[in-house]
Amino acid sequence: MKKAPTIRDVAAAAGVSVSVVSRVLNPDSGPVAPAKREQVLNVIDELGYRPRAAARELSAGHALTVGLVVTDLANPFFAQLADRVVWEARSHGVQVVVMTTQEDPHLEAESLDTLLDRSVGGVIATPTGGNVEKWERLRDLGVNVVFVDRAIPDLSDVDVVSIENSDSARRATDHLIALGHERIGLITGPASTSTGRSRIGGYRAALESASLSLDPMLVRDVPFRGDGGGDAVGSLLASPDAPTGLIVANTAQVQSSVRRLVQMGVRIPGDLSVIVFDDNPWTELTSPPLSAIRQPIGMLALHSLELVLGRMQGRLPAGARTIEVMADFVPRSSCAAPARLATSKSATR
């Protein structure tokens, strides 16, 4: 069966960019020289290209529809992200179809097929890391894609919006090092994800800068779903040379990790200093309040929506954009000098 021509096929045959074809299909989205417009229309006729329903919505002035694919709505970070994207979309008169993949590549593939059937014009997504061919097919069919929070290395030409993950992990590690900690544990997401790799990289850079050796046993990359965080806490603290500081850089595992610390009777910060990603309302209500990397979810939602709408309306030049938003480090009383150092200082007074 012959593959249906895509908007990229039209652009290549006409010798113009995809954004020019998009403006021809959507007259209100930007100017096109009359001769070039005629050239594009002729190619569309020759190839038998059929603009998708989403493109017709643009030209007819109907409400735009954007798909939002998030990995886990049980994760407070993604629940807040979805809420902010929908809120921002409403202010632009855009409808949002929300799908969740539960970190399952098979569910993600089904979600992408569903969004194609719904004829969305753009998709904002946190990818699981797989389904490269599915994502490429979505784009070949004229759907504009923006990745948020994570990226896929094999799809380097896709727009990405994220926080400065490496910098955030480095600042958290630097804070503990400045307090005198040399054994610092890190619980992060799978190293197969862009966020996991970047946060491990920032942690490693901070240790190297302080001339501290990296002990691989102190780094635990665990799945986003399940209770891997609690298990990692138990394993780390059971080791003969346990850490005196801990960074939980897996947002989905913060509750599991803190719950295990409470169950084990760990005194914070007396026995262990703790920093977590992300700053949920309850992290300030614990005793003591937890130091946190506060991720700017509102800015992630705003930039993601602006990018996907800009692509859909042909207002942005060709070439992928990467936007990294700085997160805030919020120091609270869950961090202090390690017990041995505090005791030493007390004895010298």
Side-chain angles (χ1 to χ4, degrees):
M1 182 177 178
K2 184 179 179 181
K3 179 183 174 183
T6 69
I7 192 171
R8 287 179 173 77
D9 294 331
V10 173
V16 298
S17 67
V18 171
S19 62
V20 169
V21 178
S22 179
R23 289 199 295 273
V24 171
L25 294 171
N26 314 302
D28 295 332
S29 63
V32 179
K36 190 152 289 187
R37 179 182 296 277
E38 185 67 23
Q39 179 182 346
V40 171
L41 290 174
N42 287 338
V43 170
I44 288 173
D45 186 57
E46 291 169 7
L47 296 181
Y49 172 68
R50 288 188 173 186
R52 299 173 58 257
R56 293 195 295 270
E57 286 180 348
L58 280 167
S59 60
H62 297 162
L64 302 179
T65 304
V66 170
L68 174 63
V69 182
V70 291
T71 55
D72 190 356
L73 286 174
N75 183 335
F77 171 81
F78 291 116
Q80 292 178 52
L81 179 65
D83 182 72
R84 292 296 301 182
V85 168
V86 171
W87 188 88
E88 292 288 350
R90 287 181 62 189
S91 67
H92 289 81
V94 175
Q95 297 176 348
V96 180
V97 178
V98 181
M99 314 285 290
T100 180
T101 65
Q102 299 180 336
E103 299 287 357
D104 185 340
H106 298 292
L107 285 179
E108 180 181 71
E110 293 176 4
S111 297
L112 298 185
D113 288 338
T114 298
L115 291 174
L116 273 176
D117 292 339
R118 294 291 297 268
S119 294
V120 299
V123 173
I124 298 170
T126 302
T128 62
N131 292 311
V132 172
E133 291 183 358
K134 284 279 187 181
W135 287 113
E136 289 178 336
R137 176 172 178 268
L138 199 71
R139 298 175 67 224
D140 285 342
L141 291 173
V143 178
N144 300 278
V145 177
V146 174
F147 289 150
V148 60
D149 184 58
R150 303 179 196 166
I152 299 179
D154 291 338
L155 295 174
S156 58
D157 56 344
V158 174
D159 295 322
V160 179
V161 179
S162 70
I163 71 164
E164 294 182 341
N165 286 294
S166 178
D167 177 74
S168 297
R170 179 166 186 161
R171 279 187 289 158
T173 310
D174 282 341
H175 182 72
L176 292 174
I177 292 173
L179 290 171
H181 295 273
E182 297 179 355
R183 299 281 297 171
I184 301 170
L186 177 71
I187 298 175
T188 186
S192 59
T193 63
S194 59
T195 51
R197 290 191 299 273
S198 293
R199 291 174 187 180
I200 293 172
Y203 164 84
R204 180 186 292 112
L207 294 178
E208 290 177 352
S209 180
S211 298
L212 295 175
S213 60
L214 172 65
D215 183 350
M217 295 302 296
L218 290 177
V219 179
R220 305 298 166 93
D221 60 315
V222 301
F224 295 110
R225 294 175 67 86
D227 292 317
D231 295 340
V233 164
S235 176
L236 282 168
L237 297 187
S239 64
D241 194 7
T244 59
L246 176 65
I247 302 168
V248 184
N250 182 328
T251 59
Q253 293 295 341
V254 169
Q255 290 188 42
S256 175
S257 300
V258 174
R259 185 186 305 115
R260 182 62 63 90
L261 291 172
V262 172
Q263 292 170 345
M264 294 176 67
V266 175
R267 296 174 302 156
I268 302 173
D271 300 325
L272 184 73
S273 290
V274 178
I275 299 174
V276 301
F277 287 57
D278 181 38
D279 191 24
N280 294 299
W282 64 267
T283 56
E284 193 174 5
L285 302 177
T286 60
S287 182
L290 298 175
S291 299
I293 294 292
R294 178 184 292 160
Q295 303 185 82
I297 296 175
M299 294 303 295
L300 295 177
L302 175 63
H303 286 303
S304 299
L305 191 68
E306 287 182 341
L307 272 177
V308 79
L309 290 181
R311 296 296 184 196
M312 289 169 64
Q313 296 167 348
R315 293 185 283 103
L316 298 179
R321 291 189 176 187
T322 297
I323 298 176
E324 291 187 330
V325 183
M326 179 171 285
D328 293 325
F329 174 56
V330 184
R332 298 193 180 108
S333 51
S334 65
C335 296
R340 59 169 180 74
L341 187 59
T343 301
S344 174
K345 287 183 177 180
S346 177
T348 60
R349 289 174 182 169

